[in-house]
Amino acid sequence: MKETRKYEYLTPDQERDLALRWRDRQDRAALDKLIGSHLRLVFKMARGYQGYGLPLSDLIAEGNVGVMQAAQKFDPDKGFRFATYASWWVRAAIQEYVLHNWSLVKIGTTAAQKKLFFSLRRLKARMNDLDSAGSGDLTPEAVESIATELNVPQAEVVEMNRRLGMDRSLNASLAEDGDSEWQDLLADDSPDQETVLAGTEERKRRQQFLKLGLGVLDDRERQILVARRLREEPLTLEELSQHFHVSRERVRQLEVRAFEKVQKAVMAQARQQPGAAAGKALVNA
């Protein structure tokens, strides 16, 4: 506020003269005076966003960026006052800062979502309509009314309303007199990295043993073993007997012989490598 008092209010003629000097001659002194005389506007607009829990000094700093951007693009020949033009840039800069710093999770991406974020609190205050259970959720009627007024899906209204509560620490207590924390509700039941890695290595070894075992079979034996043992929906003996033009008993014999060949090949290889457990597990499977 002390900084703003150094600059006097400008008359329309003074403002136009400063803007022309900056636009036409790049007069830095004129730019400084033009921007400085509108610091009060930045301060006033920044105070309107204090309710989002961010430092006022940061909001003012972002607003100053906006007013400088406005000065770069302002055309005094259009006939508008600089404050009218700059207010849009100041508001956009402050709102962008709030959106990026309100939560660790990105709040809004579309223009409608951003409008919802900055309008929801005002509309809630006007309706004074929260869930009677104390959960903070809006009633269905309030959700429908806000969604209609802002032209956004009702699901986005519900989600945005819950996000307005700011991020919570996972180490925060669930109750004032309790020892439980929020992170206690987020237990991860998935396997740890070591288990996942061990499983991946085990599957690789089994695939290697299987490839080795299938390599000792002739083409007919391989087809029968794959069709009977490795398919999700195994073929019947009757289907294979018709395909190979032999009896069902002959198909069964070929299947047993093929499996025994694979079993011997895998076990022999397993005894020569550290991955013996994988080979035995494959044979047993």
Side-chain angles (χ1 to χ4, degrees):
M1 287 301 295
K2 290 181 180 179
E3 186 70 19
T4 62
R5 296 190 185 100
K6 296 180 181 179
Y7 298 91
E8 300 178 353
Y9 288 103
L10 300 176
T11 65
D13 291 338
Q14 290 175 324
E15 180 182 295
R16 175 178 170 78
D17 178 65
L18 293 173
L20 288 172
R21 285 164 52 190
W22 165 244
R23 187 193 68 179
D24 299 338
R25 303 197 296 269
Q26 297 295 295
D27 187 335
R28 301 292 302 186
L31 175 65
D32 178 71
K33 192 171 184 180
L34 180 64
I35 292 176
S37 63
H38 289 83
L39 291 179
R40 295 179 183 87
L41 171 67
V42 175
F43 182 79
K44 179 180 179 181
M45 296 183 69
R47 289 187 62 181
Y49 292 89
Q50 280 186 281
Y52 293 98
L54 299 172
L56 178 60
S57 58
D58 291 350
L59 296 173
I60 292 174
E62 293 300 321
N64 288 337
V65 173
V67 79
M68 286 188 287
Q69 291 174 328
Q72 297 289 342
K73 298 181 178 295
F74 181 61
D75 185 357
D77 293 333
K78 296 287 186 181
F80 298 102
R81 294 298 301 269
F82 181 68
T84 303
Y85 180 75
S87 61
W88 293 95
W89 288 87
V90 173
R91 183 180 296 107
I94 294 176
Q95 288 185 353
E96 195 69 20
Y97 174 76
V98 172
L99 284 172
H100 280 82
N101 291 274
W102 171 261
S103 171
L104 294 175
V105 181
K106 195 170 185 179
I107 293 293
T109 55
T110 66
Q113 289 174 331
K114 293 179 180 179
K115 182 179 180 181
L116 172 61
F117 177 82
F118 289 105
S119 301
L120 186 56
R121 181 176 297 183
R122 171 178 55 82
L123 294 176
K124 285 172 60 177
R126 189 183 72 189
M127 294 178 179
N128 193 25
D129 191 3
L130 292 177
D131 183 81
S132 58
S135 64
D137 285 341
L138 293 165
T139 61
E141 294 78 10
V143 171
E144 182 179 3
S145 177
I146 294 173
T148 301
E149 182 168 342
L150 299 179
N151 193 28
V152 295
Q154 294 187 24
E156 289 189 8
V157 175
V158 174
E159 181 183 2
M160 189 67 72
N161 179 60
R162 291 172 178 172
R163 287 191 181 185
L164 285 176
M166 291 290 284
D167 297 331
R168 288 180 174 176
S169 171
L170 293 177
N171 297 115
S173 299
L174 292 173
E176 294 183 1
D177 55 349
D179 297 329
S180 299
E181 299 179 348
W182 283 103
Q183 65 179 1
D184 297 335
L185 303 178
L186 302 176
D188 186 4
D189 297 328
S190 60
D192 56 33
Q193 293 181 351
E194 289 78 6
T195 302
V196 172
L197 178 60
T200 301
E201 293 297 326
E202 183 74 10
R203 285 192 297 272
K204 287 182 179 179
R205 284 195 293 268
R206 290 191 179 191
Q207 291 173 356
Q208 291 174 353
F209 284 125
L210 179 60
K211 184 177 180 181
L212 174 67
L214 293 176
V216 302
L217 304 178
D218 60 35
D219 185 60
R220 186 172 64 171
E221 291 173 336
R222 186 182 306 107
Q223 290 185 51
I224 292 175
L225 186 63
V226 170
R228 293 287 294 163
R229 302 289 183 104
L230 301 180
R231 284 175 56 117
E232 291 186 6
E233 296 182 3
L235 298 181
T236 64
L237 294 174
E238 179 64 28
E239 291 173 323
L240 291 172
S241 68
Q242 294 178 5
H243 177 75
F244 291 105
H245 305 291
V246 294
S247 66
R248 288 182 297 175
E249 176 60 23
R250 181 54 179 163
V251 172
R252 189 191 66 77
Q253 293 174 356
L254 290 172
E255 177 191 348
V256 172
R257 186 174 70 180
F259 181 76
E260 290 176 348
K261 284 184 177 182
V262 170
Q263 188 177 39
K264 291 179 180 179
V266 169
M267 292 301 295
Q269 184 66 21
R271 285 192 292 268
Q272 301 175 13
Q273 296 185 12
K280 293 177 180 179
L282 176 62
V283 170
N284 293 333

